[in-house]
Amino acid sequence: MSLHSPQAHSSRPPANERPKFGPQAQATGPRGPLRPGMASGEKAISFGPSLKRLIGHLAPHRIAIFFVIAMTILGTGLSALGPAILGSATDLIFNAAVRDRAPIDFEAVGRVLMLALAVYLGFFVFSALAAFIINGVVQRSIYRLRQQVSDKITRLPLQYFDAQPRGELLSRVTNDVDNISQSLQQTLSQILSNLFTLISVVVMMFVVSWQLAIVALVTIPIALALTVFIGKRSQKLFAKTWKSTGELNSQIEEAYTGHDLVTVFGRRREVRAAFAQKNAELYDASFGAQFISGIIMPVMFFIGNLNYVAIAVFGGLMVASGTLGIGAIQAFVQYSRQFTHPITALASMANLLQSGIASAERVFEVLDAPEESADRDGSLPDEIEGRVTFENVTFGYTLERPLIHGLSLVAEPGSTIAIVGPTGAGKTTLVNLILRFYELQGGRIAIDGVDIASVPRRELRDHIGMVLQDTWLFGGTIRDNIAYGGDNATESEIVAAAEASYADRFIRTLPDGYDTVINDEATNLSSGEKQLLTIARAFLSNPDILILDEATSSVDTRTEVLVQKAMSRLRADRTSFVIAHRLSTIRDADVILVMEDGAIVEQGSHDALIATHGAYYRLYQSQFAAGLVEDSE
């Protein structure tokens, strides 16, 4: 198995071709600028459809949710009986002590109070059980959502990652998913509980006094209208909040990873200014969203107090006229408080729900992004000779600007093909097309006569090894990083790969040898040492086709000589594509391709191309004048 995942994906199109990103650049689509991480034709923020889709992620737990609803109905129903039961206890005491002037039947009052205690205890049990189940449902659903996002990322084409900052995507995968989890966790059970409480209380209010119930219900349309009015305005601000969060994370990520360069070039003031700007934008959006949505609570309290005043006035008149008992008015006052509480709570939940839906839309944009084309069921021969054929290949990172057009070439089995040319000529793009990191816009590429577009990507990449100029190492031991190039690699195979790449000599000088732990940024190794480890990884992968993208650029001159010898052994009996800027490293190549503007302008051996005094000769002379190559003539 070859190295084909994270390291391969670190290769990006040339800076002058790939979509730009950053604070002052946007990706573009057929309809104009796109927000980072969004596909062309994005839809406007829509609360209803997004909420429906988010709830759809809970569908696999419909039985548990049905059980939660049943528990909530039972619990809220018992809670709604409490004031009526306590009202009957008040009537027992009031009627005996005031109306009948008789001894109070404390035994009867005790039975009523025990019944109330049992009712409230049942409410607690049912509510706790419902909360426990709904929490499990939410966490399992978010776990599945994270898995879907992770799986989606593996199916996205490189164009998607090229079009946006890494910090923006990381913010969606982490911050936005966490915000969805918190929003559902805090709102789902509360919404169910308060909704059924409201229904239960309304029913009991009509049972106690339909006249006072009508007075209390007058406030519902007012509360709903205000909630909708405020919610529409806060939703846009919450969406802007999480968008600003992603942009701020991206700015921090870029500044942190490039901290050395920021310091060297004295750009800390500019970085602080950029951070201050993004931080201010996030503050403005967050303040606006929280302020507008926060108005809901005091508005609901105000409406609840008006409702309480109306009930107190009309209820007092009914008691005075004898049409309503004192216990009934006591119960109704309790119901009025229970009536306004769920309305206020539901309104406050809108704050969290708006924020959660805004994050959900950002996550759904990732899930809805166009994926790589589906793999076909073709296959390469069991024994690969390594003939790679380009037939009239056309490709561009944008349809309007093809980078490679009508390119044809044949790499014979076991040959070494060197690719040279100025920056932006399409050298790296050419080898990326072999790996199907990008899909062709015309022509085809074949390995031993089999169109690579008909072969599953994983099978194709299992036969190709790649060493890039930009090294990629993960946090772990040196042994683990080398072993990444092969399945179930043995200790002897790992050591042999390190010896072949001349990495063994420096590894054994480390205090822990092969057990030395590489930190997350691999800052405890030099650039040359990191490059040697990636070369050792390629040795271990034992590929049929080898791609070297300026693989020796980070090593010193003495190490380069050793690595060149190792590379010669590695390239033996393998078709190899070598991208080089230092022409001294590819003199022994079987064929040298000279590329300019996406086309092959010259091809041949080193001596033959020097003799023609063409493009290669000019490149060679420019490096000779700079002292980068030795005169071979």
Side-chain angles (χ1 to χ4, degrees):
M1 178 180 176
S2 66
L3 175 65
H4 59 263
S5 274
Q7 181 172 344
H9 279 261
S10 68
S11 177
R12 291 187 167 224
N16 62 331
E17 292 295 337
R18 66 176 178 261
K20 296 180 180 179
F21 60 83
Q24 300 175 351
Q26 289 181 322
T28 58
R31 301 184 183 179
L34 302 181
R35 195 159 72 237
M38 297 189 63
S40 175
E42 74 169 54
K43 61 182 181 299
I45 295 172
S46 181
F47 182 86
S50 298
L51 176 60
K52 182 179 179 180
R53 182 174 177 179
L54 183 59
I55 296 301
H57 281 267
L58 305 176
H61 306 286
R62 56 176 62 89
I63 295 178
I65 293 176
F66 176 79
F67 190 73
V68 168
I69 293 174
M71 293 296 98
T72 303
I73 292 175
L74 290 174
T76 55
L78 290 175
S79 177
L81 291 175
I85 295 173
L86 293 176
S88 64
T90 300
D91 281 338
L92 286 175
I93 297 173
F94 180 81
N95 291 338
V98 178
R99 180 181 299 175
D100 301 331
R101 298 189 181 277
I104 299 173
D105 187 352
F106 286 104
E107 184 177 349
V109 172
R111 288 195 298 269
V112 173
L113 293 179
M114 289 301 296
L115 178 60
L117 178 62
V119 165
Y120 285 122
L121 183 61
F123 164 70
F124 167 76
V125 172
F126 287 129
S127 298
L129 185 60
F132 176 79
I133 296 174
I134 200 65
N135 288 343
V137 168
V138 169
Q139 292 306 315
R140 286 192 294 271
S141 298
I142 294 300
Y143 170 85
R144 192 168 56 254
L145 179 62
R146 285 195 182 97
Q147 190 64 52
Q148 290 175 1
V149 173
S150 176
D151 293 342
K152 177 71 177 188
I153 289 175
T154 64
R155 300 192 300 270
L156 290 173
L158 282 188
Q159 288 97 325
Y160 181 86
F161 300 97
D162 293 337
Q164 62 175 316
R166 287 175 293 177
E168 167 69 13
L169 180 60
L170 290 174
S171 181
R172 293 175 187 243
V173 175
T174 55
N175 294 340
D176 286 302
V177 173
D178 286 343
N179 187 50
I180 294 172
S181 175
Q182 293 178 13
S183 298
L184 288 178
Q185 194 79 40
Q186 297 179 38
T187 62
L188 201 55
S189 60
Q190 291 296 317
I191 287 175
L192 289 174
S193 176
N194 285 290
L195 181 61
F196 288 121
T197 296
L198 183 61
I199 295 173
S200 302
V201 167
V202 168
V203 171
M204 292 303 300
M205 288 171 71
F206 273 96
V207 170
V208 174
S209 172
W210 64 268
Q211 298 95 332
L212 290 180
I214 291 176
V215 173
L217 292 178
V218 171
T219 59
I220 287 184
I222 301 174
L224 290 177
L226 288 172
T227 301
V228 172
F229 177 80
I230 296 173
K232 286 183 177 180
R233 282 152 181 79
S234 62
Q235 171 65 10
K236 293 181 179 180
L237 289 173
F238 275 117
K240 185 178 180 181
T241 296
W242 290 106
K243 177 178 180 294
S244 298
T245 300
E247 292 176 349
L248 182 63
N249 286 342
S250 177
Q251 197 273 340
I252 294 173
E253 191 269 343
E254 286 186 357
Y256 177 75
T257 55
H259 178 72
D260 292 345
L261 289 177
V262 170
T263 303
V264 168
F265 287 101
R267 296 293 181 177
R268 285 180 289 185
R269 181 177 301 175
E270 287 84 345
V271 168
R272 287 196 296 267
F275 174 83
Q277 178 185 350
K278 292 299 180 184
N279 197 26
E281 292 174 0
L282 178 58
Y283 167 79
D284 292 339
S286 299
F287 178 82
Q290 296 295 337
F291 175 75
I292 292 179
S293 60
I295 293 176
I296 293 177
M297 285 293 288
V299 168
M300 292 300 106
F301 277 125
F302 177 72
I303 293 175
N305 288 330
L306 291 180
N307 183 58
Y308 180 74
V309 171
I311 291 172
V313 171
F314 285 98
L317 294 174
M318 294 178 70
V319 171
S321 62
T323 58
L324 195 66
I326 189 68
I329 192 62
Q330 173 199 322
F332 205 93
V333 169
Q334 288 183 276
Y335 284 130
S336 69
R337 284 301 188 190
Q338 288 188 9
F339 173 72
T340 56
H341 174 74
I343 294 178
T344 304
L346 288 172
S348 67
M349 289 297 104
N351 186 347
L352 289 171
L353 198 57
Q354 295 279 1
S355 177
I357 295 302
S359 288
E361 287 184 333
R362 287 168 50 80
V363 174
F364 293 154
E365 286 166 3
V366 176
L367 295 176
D368 294 339
E371 299 181 3
E372 290 182 322
S373 58
D375 278 332
R376 300 180 186 177
D377 56 359
S379 62
L380 293 171
D382 293 335
E383 296 294 331
I384 292 181
E385 294 181 6
R387 178 176 286 102
V388 181
T389 307
F390 286 71
E391 300 177 5
N392 199 30
V393 168
T394 299
F395 171 77
Y397 294 108
T398 61
L399 294 175
E400 299 78 12
R401 296 182 59 191
L403 175 63
I404 296 175
H405 37 80
L407 185 147
S408 297
L409 68 92
V410 177
E412 296 295 340
S415 64
T416 296
I417 310 298
I419 308 170
V420 300
T423 300
K427 302 184 297 296
T428 300
T429 300
L430 188 68
V431 296
N432 281 343
L433 295 179
I434 300 175
L435 287 155
R436 283 192 68 193
F437 287 163
Y438 304 94
E439 298 299 329
L440 303 180
Q441 294 162 0
R444 78 168 195 153
I445 301 174
I447 296 179
D448 290 352
V450 178
D451 189 344
I452 63 172
S454 67
V455 179
R457 292 178 178 83
R458 181 175 180 83
E459 179 183 344
L460 170 67
R461 295 164 187 169
D462 280 343
H463 295 280
I464 302 174
M466 192 171 186
V467 179
L468 300 174
Q469 179 179 358
D470 297 326
T471 58
W472 179 83
L473 300 173
F474 56 86
T477 66
I478 288 179
R479 176 183 290 100
D480 293 338
N481 274 272
I482 297 177
Y484 196 82
D487 292 331
N488 303 317
T490 64
E491 180 72 16
S492 61
E493 290 172 337
I494 294 172
V495 173
E499 290 175 344
S501 65
Y502 297 95
D504 180 75
R505 58 182 184 137
F506 89 80
I507 293 174
R508 295 191 182 279
T509 63
L510 299 174
D512 297 320
Y514 284 84
D515 293 319
T516 299
V517 177
I518 302 173
N519 59 34
D520 291 339
E521 298 296 327
T523 55
N524 54 339
L525 295 178
S526 70
S527 297
E529 290 170 341
K530 289 187 288 186
Q531 189 70 76
L532 289 175
L533 291 182
T534 62
I535 294 172
R537 185 188 292 166
F539 269 98
L540 186 63
S541 70
N542 192 27
D544 297 300
I545 297 172
L546 183 65
I547 295 174
L548 306 174
D549 188 351
E550 196 61 34
T552 61
S553 63
S554 297
V555 299
D556 58 75
T557 304
R558 179 175 178 273
T559 303
E560 181 181 343
V561 173
L562 299 176
V563 171
Q564 287 300 328
K565 293 179 181 179
M567 288 300 179
S568 297
R569 294 200 301 269
L570 180 61
R571 296 199 306 264
D573 300 324
R574 292 184 177 89
T575 305
S576 303
F577 293 85
V578 181
I579 298 175
H581 293 99
R582 283 188 284 183
L583 303 185
S584 61
T585 63
I586 47 92
R587 286 179 178 176
D588 61 344
D590 296 296
V591 178
I592 298 174
L593 304 178
V594 184
M595 296 190 67
E596 289 182 358
D597 298 325
I600 297 176
V601 296
E602 286 184 345
Q603 59 179 306
S605 66
H606 170 79
D607 293 336
L609 292 176
I610 287 292
T612 62
H613 284 237
Y616 180 79
Y617 177 81
R618 291 191 296 272
L619 280 174
Y620 187 84
Q621 288 299 313
S622 66
Q623 293 194 9
F624 175 70
L628 299 177
V629 298
E630 297 177 358
D631 190 4
S632 64
E633 299 182 289

